[in-house]
Amino acid sequence: MTQRTNASATDEALRRRALRKVTWRLVPLVLLMYTAAFLDRVNMGTAALTMNADLGLTGAAFGFATGIFSAGYIALQIPSNLALHRFGPRRWLALLMVCWGAVATCTGFVQGEGSLITARILLGAAESGFLPGMLLYLTFWFAPSRRGMISVLASLPLYGIIGTPLSAVILQHTHDLWGLAGWRWMFILEGIPSILIGVMVLAWLTDSPAQARWLTDEERATVQEAVGTVPTASERTRIKLADLTERLRDARLLTFAVAVGFLWVGFAALTAFLPLIIAGFADRFNTHLSLVQTGLLASVVYVPAVAVALLWARSSDRRGERVVHSAAGALLSALGTVIAINSDSLPVTLLGTIMLAAGIYASLNLMWQLPIGHLVSGVAMAVGIAFTTTLGNLASFASPYIVGWLRDTSGNYDSGLYFVAAALFACAVLTLLANRVPPPRSAAAPAADLIEATPAPSTLSNSAEGS
């Protein structure tokens, strides 16, 4: 009995050590990549404070230029994830980062609406494989019971907390430097780091646990046992048209994808318009804000969002439950949006805006775990994740344009925010309904139990320790 207890304690210590080494090796780099990707994507909202006037853009034109990012993103997302599956995460993600960094830098030299739209389409195409690739990559290293917290840690909105004030500082203090507007310098200076990080990825990232020479043999075996089968180089060629058509027949996956899309209506509107929305709220209450003050207030909105997202992911991992947690976050966002619109004081309006952001980030990472838990591993998961994010990003294409058009029509962002609140409510409803849709027989997977079942006490204990 004593020997068995000692062996169990040794195995647990090995699991903890392996998890700690994998987390510290991979999560900071993935977070850095995520921050660079989203900063290059969402800094349009800060640039708009002066860029729109310089280029003569209306609210609808700006919304279209922001949303058109999703055109290239949608078109190449599934092919990009298949390429990652074929060539491996290290080389493919490094190539994507160098490409989108170059495009983001060149955005600083656009001359009008047409060239801005072209730059945004190219940026979307270059970034298309990152988010689904990142989600797929994390499944190679972390067991399902830990992915909620890990996905939150790897996608903290540092681009909003640090990036938005930084963008505002560049915007305000580099204006007319060497004859260039501040927003041009912002795009140039924030695009270059992505190129450098892409080079770093080649040296630091490892495709799979089997190739991780920085783990001992015992640690590699422990990680591989926890995550199950990871695609090998020979398996990466087995990609067929049936892999896509089977996903199209999966009603549960389609419902999850539409729910993700509704959540991304709120996410896209938040990331594209937050500085403009805050400036609009300030005008409503006759409060003057400088560019830097607007950026700082926007960053403040993200700080509680991080805390809520971490607490929500911890709760979800401990309980082995994703559906109710995801739906509740969407409902919190919808409620916050309505409060922000109808408040008669700036502090309460900002509280509503904080609830909007907190609910979205609480749900965002957990929502991705629903289709992942539903899908089998290998090519099916690669295609399924990319398929879900593709349908979800259709909302990212439409949302900024609709919100911008409503802004031009009504003269403020209230009607656009009501549209966002309705989408978030629809997200919550569909998330609850999706789990009642029976999966196709061929899609049944052991991982699906994570969505529906309460984990055993040992799983709860491990998840809590891993958090």
Side-chain angles (χ1 to χ4, degrees), residues 328-339:
L331 286 176
L332 176 64
S333 289
L335 176 62
T337 306
V338 173
I339 290 174

Side-chain angles (χ1 to χ4, degrees), residues 94-223:
L95 175 62
L96 291 182
M97 289 207 70
V98 171
C99 290
W100 89 55
V103 174
T105 300
C106 291
T107 306
F109 300 98
V110 299
Q111 297 301 312
E113 183 178 347
S115 55
L116 179 62
I117 288 172
T118 301
R120 294 292 293 179
I121 292 174
L122 292 175
L123 183 64
E127 286 196 26
S128 60
F130 174 70
L131 182 58
M134 181 191 81
L135 293 168
L136 177 64
Y137 183 66
L138 292 177
T139 68
F140 295 174
W141 295 90
F142 297 98
S145 61
R146 303 185 188 275
R147 290 176 191 161
M149 178 61 72
I150 290 297
S151 63
V152 171
L153 292 174
S155 56
L156 295 173
L158 298 184
Y159 58 84
I161 298 172
I162 300 172
T164 301
L166 176 64
S167 297
V169 168
I170 295 173
L171 189 69
Q172 182 165 314
H173 294 288
T174 63
H175 179 67
D176 213 24
L177 178 64
W178 293 351
L180 294 178
W183 61 268
R184 295 187 184 276
W185 280 113
M186 186 201 72
F187 284 125
I188 294 169
L189 295 176
E190 292 180 352
I192 293 174
S194 293
I195 301 174
L196 301 178
I197 296 169
V199 176
M200 186 190 307
V201 166
L202 281 175
W204 194 253
L205 213 60
T206 306
D207 280 342
S208 68
Q211 300 174 2
R213 300 307 170 207
W214 40 273
L215 293 173
T216 66
D217 292 341
E218 293 82 4
E219 290 166 347
R220 280 197 297 273
T222 297
V223 173

Side-chain angles (χ1 to χ4, degrees), residues 259 262-263 266-267 270 305 308-309 311-313 316 321-337 352-367 370 420-421 423-429 431-432:
F262 279 123
L263 184 64
F267 178 70
L270 180 73
V308 172
L311 291 172
W312 217 235
S316 177
E321 198 287 320
R322 306 294 190 208
V323 173
V324 174
H325 281 79
S326 299
L331 286 176
L332 176 64
S333 289
L335 176 62
T337 306
T353 308
I354 288 171
M355 292 171 61
L356 163 63
I360 285 176
Y361 283 99
S363 292
L364 193 63
N365 296 284
L366 299 183
M367 283 287 290
L370 298 179
V420 168
L424 292 168
F425 180 78
C427 168
V429 173
T431 301
L432 295 173

Side-chain angles (χ1 to χ4, degrees), residues 6-161:
N6 291 339
S8 177
T10 301
D11 290 343
E12 181 61 25
L14 177 62
R15 282 193 293 270
R16 290 184 180 181
R17 186 172 72 248
L19 176 63
R20 185 166 55 250
K21 289 177 71 172
V22 169
T23 301
W24 281 107
R25 172 84 181 196
L26 300 180
V27 171
L29 179 57
V30 174
L31 174 59
L32 187 61
M33 296 164 66
Y34 181 88
T35 301
F38 273 81
L39 180 59
D40 288 340
R41 184 187 309 189
V42 308
N43 56 12
M44 280 274 286
T46 305
L49 294 170
T50 58
M51 179 187 70
N52 287 5
D54 288 353
L55 299 182
L57 300 178
T58 64
F62 169 75
F64 182 80
T66 302
I68 200 66
F69 168 93
S70 296
Y73 202 88
I74 291 167
L76 295 181
Q77 198 162 71
I78 290 177
S80 184
N81 225 32
L82 294 179
L84 179 143
H85 186 77
R86 173 68 179 84
F87 298 111
R90 184 178 67 89
R91 287 181 292 175
W92 190 249
L93 291 176
L95 175 62
L96 291 182
M97 289 207 70
V98 171
C99 290
W100 89 55
V103 174
T105 300
C106 291
T107 306
F109 300 98
V110 299
Q111 297 301 312
E113 183 178 347
S115 55
L116 179 62
I117 288 172
T118 301
R120 294 292 293 179
I121 292 174
L122 292 175
L123 183 64
E127 286 196 26
S128 60
F130 174 70
L131 182 58
M134 181 191 81
L135 293 168
L136 177 64
Y137 183 66
L138 292 177
T139 68
F140 295 174
W141 295 90
F142 297 98
S145 61
R146 303 185 188 275
R147 290 176 191 161
M149 178 61 72
I150 290 297
S151 63
V152 171
L153 292 174
S155 56
L156 295 173
L158 298 184
Y159 58 84
I161 298 172

